[in-house]
Structures are given as structure tokens and as C-alpha cells.
Amino acid sequence: MMKRIGIMTSGGDAPGMNAAIRAVARKAMHEGLEVFGINYGFAGLVAGDIFQMTAQSVNDTIKRGGTMLYSARYPEFAQEEGQLKGIEQLNKFGIEALVVIGGDGSYHGALRLTEHGYNAIGLPGTIDNDIPYTDFTIGFDTSVNTVVEAIDRLQDTAASHERTFVVEVMGRGAGDIALWAGVAGAASDVIIPEHDFDVKKVAEKLRASREAGQKHAVIVLAEGVMHADEFAKELSAYGDFQLRSTVLGHVVRGGSPTARDRVLASEMGAYAVELLLEGKGGLAIGIQNNKLVNHNMLDLFDAKHEAQLDLYDLAHDLSI
């Protein structure tokens, strides 16, 4: 009968991670388990930076951005030597199973531990929304709302000075944040890595809009395409659009999570504990068609996240 589980966050932080930590901890305690927090991800696991949590440890954390367990990159965990050091610490603290909250790299570490006999469940904690077999990841909704708020403000100043703003947003190699924020923020154009684009056609569209009376514009650019300054430079070769570039950067990772992210994280966190109590590991949790699902982590490494390209078409249709 399992008695102790551990929780860690790994990779980039995402709003809602604390809500997931809270859900895992309190659901596990509700089931009579002892819960241990692991600081600084796999680096903290190897170092033994581990502490026992109580119900009070997660008081008032659901509304906080970032991660109360901190996060750190630790590529050494890809090697068996690092894994064995982590297992040594698990044995020392009597931890029998883990919940790992993070992205693709975090899942690799969780799978290695499962292969060594320590069941681990992965929760998709990343703003990029780039994990296969889940419609949404924890933190994505909050980041999109942050970007939309920034676009709304930039629309105001763009209109005041009849300028065109190129707004670069995070997402690594995925364009989901740009897509959703572009539609919600009434962007004049959305540029993502999953769809080809022609700078000359972007310029022609801007010129036609100006001739029709639309004197300002906001173009949303996913970071996986190119830097905003580079895009603005290429665009300026086709006309004077009073260009300005803005990189939102890490600001989209912070802030209090939205209600949607809090609920999603809570559902996923509780579900992870249920799976561990069933003796299951090596699984990644997702949500598809508004239903919680789980998939073998190995399947995720062979799959590829697909962008919702109908939103790309919608963004272009509505920006006429």
C-alpha cells in the first residue's frame, strides 16, 4: 500500500502550477498519503532538497503565479548516473511515487524514474500549449489573457500615432499563444511557425488597409518564426508603415492564473493522485474534448502537437 508521494515542478514556470501542486497535495492527504515537496525539479531531487508538506503548506497558493517549489534545468538527469542519484534520495525519504509538473523535458525525466520502478505521472505545465494529446496545458489560458491585455494597450497607442506594431510572443516552436491572442486581440495579421507567410503579402495587406482608412495595425508574431526586430526590418523594405517592435517576453509567464487554469490544474492534480493509487505510472495527463485523459509518455515523444489552424484562417478572414 503506497504511503508517500512526491511533487515537483520542472522546466519553465507557468501560471497554475501552484494550483496543481495544491490539488496533488490535498487530494493525496485526503486519501491518507504523506506528501513531500521537491524543490528545484530534478536538480533538487538529486541534491535531496525535499521536505514534508502539510495542508497548510499550500494555503493561499492557488492564486499565485510561478511555482512555490521553484524550478531549474538539470540536463544531467538524462544520464543514468543522475537518475540513480535521484533514486537514492527517493529511497532515503521513502517516496514511492511522483507527480511531475512541466513540459516535454520533464516528461522524459518522469519516464526514466518509472522505468526504474518509481511510478511517475506527468502534468502538462507550460504556457506554450505544445504538448501532444491535450487540448490545453496548464498556464496557456493565463498567458493568452496577458498577451491580449498587452495587445489592447498597444492598439490604443498604435491608433494614436498611426503606427504598426509587431508584437513578439512566447511559445517556443508553437504558435498557439500567437493564434489565440491574435484572434482575441483583433490583430491585423498573425505569423506562426506552423503556417507559411510572405512578408510582401503582409505589406500589401497593410497598404490596402491604410488606403481603406485603417491607419494603424498590430501584427502578432510567434517567437518560433523570428525576432520582432528582424521581421520589422523585412517588412519595412516594402513601405513606411511607422513600424515599432515589441517583445513581450517572460512577462507572459507571470501573474495570477485565470479561473480556467486554476480549475484545469485542480482537476489534473487530483486525477494524477487517483492514477498513482491505482498503481499506474509512466503516464501523461491531458484534457481532450473537455474530458480528462491519460496517455503513455512514450507516445508523446513520437507525436507532434498540432496547431488549431482554423484559428489562423479566422484571424485572416476577420482582419479584412
Side-chain angles (χ1 to χ4, degrees):
M1 189 72 178
M2 186 173 62
K3 296 180 179 179
R4 292 183 176 182
I5 69 167
I7 315 171
M8 70 164 69
T9 52
S10 179
D13 61 296
M17 278 185 163
N18 284 324
I21 294 167
R22 173 182 178 272
V24 172
R26 293 204 165 177
K27 173 66 172 178
M29 292 173 195
H30 175 75
E31 299 293 342
L33 302 177
E34 293 181 349
V35 181
F36 286 74
I38 302 169
N39 288 323
Y40 303 106
F42 293 104
L45 173 61
V46 170
D49 193 348
I50 301 171
F51 66 99
Q52 185 167 2
M53 303 180 75
T54 67
Q56 287 68 43
S57 298
V58 291
N59 272 351
D60 298 323
T61 57
I62 194 169
K63 62 187 178 185
R64 286 166 46 193
T67 164
M68 62 173 287
L69 294 178
Y70 310 103
S71 189
R73 308 287 184 183
Y74 192 67
E76 294 88 344
F77 205 77
Q79 307 302 318
E80 188 173 22
E81 180 182 358
Q83 297 161 22
L84 293 177
K85 288 180 179 178
I87 288 171
E88 183 179 338
Q89 295 294 346
L90 290 173
N91 288 332
K92 177 181 175 181
F93 285 87
I95 297 171
E96 301 159 271
L98 286 173
V99 175
V100 180
I101 307 165
D104 180 73
S106 307
Y107 285 3
H108 277 86
L111 182 60
R112 297 289 86 81
L113 289 173
T114 297
E115 291 172 346
H116 283 293
Y118 289 84
N119 281 343
I121 300 292
L123 299 190
T126 169
I127 66 168
D128 303 327
N129 207 45
D130 60 351
I131 304 295
Y133 300 118
T134 185
D135 295 336
F136 301 105
T137 58
I138 297 167
F140 172 69
D141 187 66
T142 305
S143 68
V144 169
N145 277 275
T146 301
V147 173
V148 170
E149 182 180 353
I151 291 174
D152 288 348
R153 294 171 185 269
L154 288 171
Q155 292 277 20
D156 292 342
T157 191
S160 298
H161 296 274
E162 298 186 347
R163 288 175 176 159
T164 296
F165 277 83
V166 178
V167 184
E168 179 185 327
V169 300
M170 297 185 81
R172 292 204 307 172
D176 288 49
I177 295 176
L179 274 177
W180 283 70
V183 172
S188 301
D189 220 326
V190 179
I191 313 298
I192 58 173
E194 297 91 344
H195 199 288
D196 293 336
F197 71 96
D198 185 331
V199 175
K200 183 178 180 181
K201 289 184 178 180
V202 174
E204 290 172 352
K205 187 174 181 179
L206 285 175
R207 194 177 297 111
S209 293
R210 283 181 174 255
E211 291 173 356
Q214 180 71 24
K215 302 297 184 182
H216 72 280
V218 170
I219 298 171
V220 181
L221 172 72
E223 68 173 349
V225 178
M226 65 175 72
H227 193 277
D229 290 342
E230 182 183 353
F231 185 86
K233 183 178 180 181
E234 290 190 15
L235 187 58
S236 66
Y238 295 96
D240 182 10
F241 301 108
Q242 294 294 306
L243 284 163
R244 297 291 187 275
S245 59
T246 298
V247 180
L248 294 184
H250 288 77
V251 67
V252 303
R253 278 191 185 173
S256 181
T258 60
R260 184 170 186 174
D261 269 331
R262 298 183 197 192
V263 172
L264 179 64
S266 298
E267 289 181 319
M268 288 184 168
Y271 185 41
V273 174
E274 292 171 3
L275 291 173
L276 289 177
L277 286 170
E278 293 173 7
K280 296 178 180 178
L283 300 174
I285 289 175
I287 187 164
Q288 294 178 303
N289 300 318
N290 211 31
K291 300 288 185 182
L292 290 174
V293 296
N294 67 81
H295 288 84
N296 191 306
M297 285 182 185
L298 281 173
D299 295 340
L300 272 68
F301 304 145
D302 295 329
K304 180 175 172 48
H305 167 72
E306 300 292 338
Q308 193 174 335
L309 292 181
D310 58 330
L311 285 181
Y312 181 87
D313 296 333
L314 179 63
H316 282 257
D317 289 348
L318 299 184
S319 63
I320 295 175

